[in-house]
Amino acid sequence: MIKDLVVNLALAAERDPAAEFALSVCRRICGTCAALHFNTDPIMPIALMDDVPPDVIDTQRAENQRAANAATSRFDGAARVASVLSETRIIESTMAGVATRFAHIARRFDLSIVAQAKPEADGPEALIVEQALFGSGRPVLVVPYIQTAPFKTDRVDAVLGWQPDRRSRSRRRHAFPLARQSGRDLYR
């Protein structure tokens, strides 16, 4: 049974398909949703570090904090409208540490929802997907960056990595609630 889930909020986006999808999943199958936004330090090329004035870095940090606050506020508002019990957190991290931190946090939840990276994007989304899949040990839903429809249970396709060990059995067991709602058989 899926009781809670965690979603990674988009770093900078006019719309956040993963957050929207997570709220629709919560409305259908689980109780609570935790939304995380990773606030990272500005990225500066090493060659320019000595030439960048401190006020430029401070301005970028302030802009990153504003973006984090805006993302969490948007999510909180959408959760209220959707009548979903939720919690948002802004987590300070380095850009290189975002994916690993998300995977560690995802271990505490029944399901994690992450966005597929846009092909032209340079953000950590691709690394977050990979770390969530291989580092969390929990079920992961990857939401396409073009996703607009809410979660539906009429069709659920599952891809399960299998090895004859306890972790693989656990992943399969956690994927069953989604498949049961769709009427699909995971053994086909």
Side-chain angles (χ1 to χ4, degrees):
M1 167 164 276
I2 297 173
K3 293 178 267 180
D4 58 6
L5 66 86
V6 62
V7 61
N8 180 51
L9 298 178
L11 292 175
E14 58 283 348
R15 83 174 266 281
D16 190 343
E20 294 168 7
F21 197 77
L23 290 172
S24 70
V25 169
C26 265
R27 285 190 55 127
R28 296 289 302 247
I29 64 169
C30 72
T32 61
C33 180
L36 307 177
H37 187 285
F38 290 91
N39 192 17
T40 60
D41 281 336
I43 299 174
M44 300 286 169
I46 293 175
L48 299 177
M49 284 302 287
D50 291 337
D51 298 332
V52 176
D55 60 326
V56 170
I57 294 172
D58 291 340
T59 300
Q60 185 61 50
R61 278 193 183 119
E63 182 58 37
N64 289 354
Q65 187 63 48
R66 278 192 293 280
N69 292 339
T72 56
S73 293
R74 275 192 308 274
F75 184 84
D76 287 337
R80 274 192 300 281
V81 168
S83 300
V84 170
L85 183 60
S86 68
E87 172 186 4
T88 56
R89 291 229 171 120
I90 297 173
I91 299 172
E92 302 294 326
S93 180
T94 62
M95 186 65 80
V98 168
T100 303
R101 292 206 55 198
F102 182 82
H104 284 287
I105 293 167
R107 291 176 184 169
R108 298 182 212 134
F109 292 87
D110 295 327
L111 175 68
S112 61
I113 297 181
V114 294
Q116 173 194 21
K118 290 181 181 177
E120 71 278 356
D122 263 350
E125 286 85 2
L127 295 175
I128 290 172
V129 169
E130 184 177 326
Q131 279 296 321
L133 285 169
F134 299 110
S136 72
R138 308 297 283 176
V140 178
L141 277 176
V142 180
V143 178
Y145 66 90
I146 59 169
Q147 182 74 28
T148 57
F151 175 73
K152 296 183 220 172
T153 57
D154 60 342
R155 178 167 178 164
V156 174
D157 293 318
V159 176
L160 299 172
W162 179 257
Q163 290 181 345
D165 63 11
R166 186 177 59 84
R167 286 179 63 179
S168 290
R169 286 189 297 276
S170 174
R171 285 187 191 115
R172 189 180 70 202
R173 186 179 69 248
H174 288 297
F176 277 138
L178 294 175
R180 274 191 213 113
Q181 288 204 13
S182 71
R184 298 289 300 258
D185 179 6
L186 289 181
Y187 289 108
R188 290 190 303 146

